[in-house]
Amino acid sequence: MTDHMGDAGSRTKAMFDKIWDRHVVVARAQGPSLIYIDRDIIHEGSFHAFADMKRRGLTVRKPKQMFGTPDHYVPTTGRMIGDAATPEIARMISQFDENMSWGGIRNFGLRDPRQGIVHVVGPEQGITLPGLTLVCSDSHTSTHGALGAIAFGIGQSENAHVMATQTLWQARPKTMRITIDGRLARGVHAKDVILAIIGKIGAAGAGGHAIEYAGAVVRAMSIEERLTICNMSIEAAARCGMVAPDDTTFAYLHGRPFAPNEQDWDAAVSYWRTLPSGDDARFDSEVSIDGSAIEPMVTWGTSPEDALPISGHVPGPDPKADLQRQDAVARALRYMGLEAGTALTDIAIDRVFIGSCTNSRLEDLRSAAAVLDGRRAVVPAMVVPGSTGVKLAAEAEGLDAIFRNAGFEWRESGCSMCAAMNGDFVRPQERCASTSNRNFVGRQGPNARTHLMSPAMAAAAALTGRLTDVRQFMGARSGVQ
Amino acid sequence: MDAFIRETALAAPFEGSNVDTDQIIPARFLKVDRTVGYGSFLFHDLKFESDGTERPDFVLNQQPFRHARILVTDENFGCGSSREGAVYALSDYGIKALIGPSFGDIFYNNCLKNGLIPVRLPHDVVAGLREDLLRGPDREISIDLDSQVVTLPDGTLHNLEIDPFWRECIMKGVDEVELTLGYLPEIESFEARYLDEMKWINR
Ligand code: SF4
């Protein structure tokens, strides 16, 4: 191991800076540096990038460092190309396969057991590793930072640039540390933590920053919970979100298909142990949150920052706020069909969606199933596992049966109703309790109304047909955490 | 990419913070090839009723703003999905520049790659500017990348802050991939050393 891989500056450097500095190919005194990109994960939206490359006669420089899987447009009702919602979508999926072969890129295609949402597949396959720079032409690429990587979303021009050069010109963001101390109460999950954070700092709160999540709550979290937190960093406008790698990380990665093999494992882990921020590291900004005070959260409006504890009420325009803010609140209420002052638990919902790269992993499904076990949903509901791997693992432990017995549809994996691109959508004016990450106007379908929440809260909402405090289903049964 | 040096054009105020890229171009339009032109998808669901008629209350459907080539926006414009289609739509519609207090990070980069100039000015300046534009009658803004000056309708001059690297790329209409490939020797020597130290990355 050479010295720049070692401890130089490790007491005073933040993890982000350590990883960044390790990847600088061409440094410039000001402005962007040329940064080496270790991994690029590719989905169907990449056709612009491939068209661009072909037009210019470029080739994929390091196909072994690229990975492809279709997710945004794939059908969840079956795994044949003919199951696609429209011929146009079927053509996109075939075109994706063609582009992957053209580029010589490993493709976890529609019928591959490794297929899934890019941000579920990366960690699951050990493609995402501590210390890496990882990009994907999708904003929720921040997810992968949960393993201690710098991971961020890019556009298609940048995607082509990475495929052709394995680099990107990037300006160094500022750093922000968000410390969540204390201990989460029962019924409070990673989704509640990140909604509480965005509710506090706002949808633009981390603009221009790389977030590091720290503190006792984060240290105690599993990797899947950390993935949920980092996933929504982009909803606070952050460039990326990350968590320092630790023994939990190493145990999670060990033995995964693309993680270091036995021959490299010890060298990798000893490098990864140098990555966490030093005790004296300085951050451009610091936020702290008392984890013990967080309650189960839901959103009421059309931005993830419109998040409140489930015990709360729909707010009205605040007369003390500026006029534009008042107007924004009024518009959100109109779109959502809500009246100020309504108790959140009085809001009736029309359907439930459990899925998306935020909350579609095995632990998420377990947590929803624990609430549903032996009970019945009173509204239409569906579960879309985040990957085919998650689906198979859930079936192996019988979770599919719990969901089906509760009246849920059990689907094939993909993005599905999160972004409503594949033909699964929420109907106009329908209100959906959703475990996804965006409640934007039209996100789940034209005029669809989305309330974001954890899988356990979505399960509770399915049982009552209203936004519901999941804690009312706890205690009677031992399974519910 | 077309080079951009300076532009004087009619500007429209665009209200609302956290305007996400799905408002700029709804997801359902993203399936088509760029060659068809993305201009007609711009702000589609804000611009049109579901039956396809124009919504008269939408700013770009109003005179004189239908002909605007600059948009003046609020905080965090272009947040959300990384879809570059949002920039294609703005660009193909004819928008040359955006002025706002802050932009979504990926969106900002996507603008730079497509020669659409995102100008950050202080929150209060931009809020006042949107009011002035609404009131009129002066609604022309000049954006000069060469001198790095923005001239507002009231005649005030503001510094156009943009990274010198991107400024040069945009002014010269540089092809960024070509530019980077000029650094191939640096990339190769970095990579040889780096991948030798981190053997597990591409086994
Ligand atoms: S699940 Fe939703 S947020 Fe995640 S990658 Fe797919 S569309 Fe994007």
Side-chain angles (χ1 to χ4, degrees), chain A residues 36-57:
Chain A
Y36 191 74
I37 301 298
D38 294 312
R39 298 268 196 260
D40 186 355
I41 311 185
I42 297 165
H43 60 81
E44 311 95 299
S46 58
F47 67 92
H48 291 293
F50 284 97
D52 191 26
M53 292 184 74
K54 290 173 186 171
R55 189 169 41 79
R56 304 206 267 165

Side-chain angles (χ1 to χ4, degrees), chain A residues 296-348:
Chain A
M297 304 286 289
V298 293
T299 61
W300 58 267
T302 54
S303 163
E305 72 180 12
D306 300 334
L308 284 175
I310 183 66
S311 56
H313 293 75
V314 175
D318 175 1
K320 292 195 291 289
D322 63 43
L323 282 174
Q324 282 160 5
R325 176 66 196 157
Q326 292 187 38
D327 186 49
V329 171
R331 240 180 306 131
L333 291 180
R334 220 175 308 129
Y335 181 81
M336 293 297 291
L338 293 173
E339 300 247 355
T342 309
L344 293 171
T345 50
D346 284 341
I347 298 175

Side-chain angles (χ1 to χ4, degrees), chain A residues 250-270:
Chain A
F250 310 146
Y252 173 90
L253 286 170
H254 193 238
R256 294 196 181 257
F258 295 94
N261 58 19
E262 290 311 323
Q263 184 190 339
D264 296 325
W265 181 255
D266 292 342
V269 171
S270 62

Side-chain angles (χ1 to χ4, degrees), chain A residues 43 71-72 117-119 138-141 143 231 235 353 355-358 360 414-421 436-438 443:
Chain A
H43 60 81
D71 57 0
H72 282 66
I117 305 173
V118 277
H119 313 311
D138 186 276
S139 56
H140 291 96
T141 307
T143 314
N231 174 270
E235 305 315 330
F353 170 64
S356 92
C357 57
T358 314
S360 63
C415 295
S416 179
M417 218 178 256
C418 168
M421 292 176 170
S436 55
N437 43 49
R438 287 189 173 137
R443 169 76 176 183

Side-chain angles (χ1 to χ4, degrees), chain A residues 22 31 36 56 157 239 264, chain B residues 84 105 163 175 191 197:
Chain A
R22 189 74 190 79
Y36 191 74
R56 304 206 267 165
S157 299
R239 187 83 183 122
D264 296 325
Chain B
E84 198 160 315
D105 203 34
D163 184 273
D175 181 321
E191 197 168 51
E197 288 165 358

Side-chain angles (χ1 to χ4, degrees), chain A residues 98-400:
Chain A
E98 284 157 30
N99 282 332
M100 291 297 100
S101 355
W102 175 83
I105 299 170
R106 236 184 237 106
N107 178 14
F108 308 148
L110 188 57
R111 308 190 63 187
D112 190 301
R114 298 165 296 182
Q115 178 276 342
I117 305 173
V118 277
H119 313 311
V120 176
V121 168
E124 186 174 85
Q125 293 295 325
I127 293 164
T128 311
L129 298 171
L132 298 188
T133 49
L134 182 152
V135 296
C136 172
S137 57
D138 186 276
S139 56
H140 291 96
T141 307
S142 58
T143 314
H144 306 255
L147 292 157
I150 295 181
F152 54 91
I154 56 174
Q156 294 305 343
S157 299
E158 291 177 308
N159 195 17
H161 190 279
V162 171
M163 288 197 274
T165 70
Q166 210 57 38
T167 61
L168 273 179
W169 294 97
Q170 289 284 303
R172 185 193 290 258
K174 296 192 200 115
T175 54
M176 169 185 282
R177 177 162 57 190
I178 301 184
T179 306
I180 310 129
D181 276 321
R183 210 173 139 211
L184 299 184
R186 284 185 78 210
V188 177
H189 298 273
K191 182 63 154 290
D192 303 306
V193 174
I194 189 62
L195 286 175
I197 289 170
I198 298 165
K200 178 177 166 122
I201 68 175
H209 287 77
I211 299 177
E212 177 172 342
Y213 299 97
V217 164
V218 177
R219 291 268 69 86
M221 280 182 171
S222 70
I223 294 303
E224 297 197 357
E225 293 174 295
R226 295 177 189 177
L227 289 163
T228 298
I229 303 257
C230 288
N231 174 270
M232 289 189 69
S233 305
I234 184 74
E235 305 315 330
R239 187 83 183 122
C240 62
M242 32 196 341
V243 174
D246 57 11
D247 288 340
T248 306
T249 319
F250 310 146
Y252 173 90
L253 286 170
H254 193 238
R256 294 196 181 257
F258 295 94
N261 58 19
E262 290 311 323
Q263 184 190 339
D264 296 325
W265 181 255
D266 292 342
V269 171
S270 62
Y271 172 54
W272 295 343
R273 286 197 195 282
T274 67
L275 296 175
S277 296
D279 294 339
D280 300 329
R282 290 280 206 82
F283 291 81
D284 296 300
S285 109
E286 297 262 10
V287 173
S288 57
I289 305 254
D290 175 8
S292 313
I294 299 174
E295 285 186 63
M297 304 286 289
V298 293
T299 61
W300 58 267
T302 54
S303 163
E305 72 180 12
D306 300 334
L308 284 175
I310 183 66
S311 56
H313 293 75
V314 175
D318 175 1
K320 292 195 291 289
D322 63 43
L323 282 174
Q324 282 160 5
R325 176 66 196 157
Q326 292 187 38
D327 186 49
V329 171
R331 240 180 306 131
L333 291 180
R334 220 175 308 129
Y335 181 81
M336 293 297 291
L338 293 173
E339 300 247 355
T342 309
L344 293 171
T345 50
D346 284 341
I347 298 175
I349 53 143
D350 302 302
R351 68 171 57 244
V352 172
F353 170 64
I354 296 180
S356 92
C357 57
T358 314
N359 282 126
S360 63
R361 298 178 184 81
L362 192 56
E363 289 175 15
D364 297 317
L365 304 193
R366 283 183 188 146
S367 129
V371 176
L372 296 171
D373 195 4
R375 298 183 168 112
R376 279 296 288 184
V378 299
V379 291
M382 68 194 264
V383 187
V384 181
S387 69
T388 304
V390 168
K391 177 170 188 269
L392 296 174
E395 287 171 354
E397 54 185 76
L399 300 182
D400 59 324

